[in-house]
Amino acid sequence: YNANVTVANTIAGDLLVKLDMAGIAVSAGSACYARSYAPSPVLQALGLSQERVRGSLRFSFGKPLESEDIKEALKRIGKIIR
């Protein structure tokens, strides 16, 4: 499962290290362009503005994933993006 989240007024790359240090593994851009700093062509094709594309984070989820895992991740993310 994948989810794309846009964080307003930020550049996703700036958040990657902070999220990683908080134990949250995310990516900026599409999986097809991993390790690339180019804007995601998938998000651009969907018609997202350049600002939204730059602020987009890709979360990938596997099994087992419990609701408590999501709650804890959201708590950590909230502390970082405030």
Side-chain angles (χ1 to χ4, degrees):
Y1 302 100
N2 293 306
N4 185 279
V5 176
T6 299
V7 180
N9 304 315
T10 192
I11 297 173
D14 294 344
L15 296 175
L16 292 178
V17 172
K18 292 176 183 178
L19 291 168
D20 184 51
M21 290 176 65
I24 301 169
V26 299
S27 300
S30 66
C32 303
Y33 286 81
R35 298 186 183 150
S36 171
Y37 293 101
S40 167
V42 174
L43 297 178
Q44 290 175 322
L46 289 171
L48 272 65
S49 69
Q50 288 299 312
E51 182 180 358
R52 288 191 67 188
V53 171
R54 283 192 300 271
S56 293
L57 295 169
R58 181 175 45 87
F59 292 80
S60 297
F61 306 97
K63 293 182 180 178
L65 179 68
E66 303 292 333
S67 62
E68 290 303 316
D69 298 327
I70 295 170
K71 289 176 187 175
E72 180 61 28
L74 290 172
K75 186 169 86 176
R76 293 179 191 184
I77 292 165
K79 290 179 181 178
I80 292 168
I81 63 173
R82 288 188 186 161

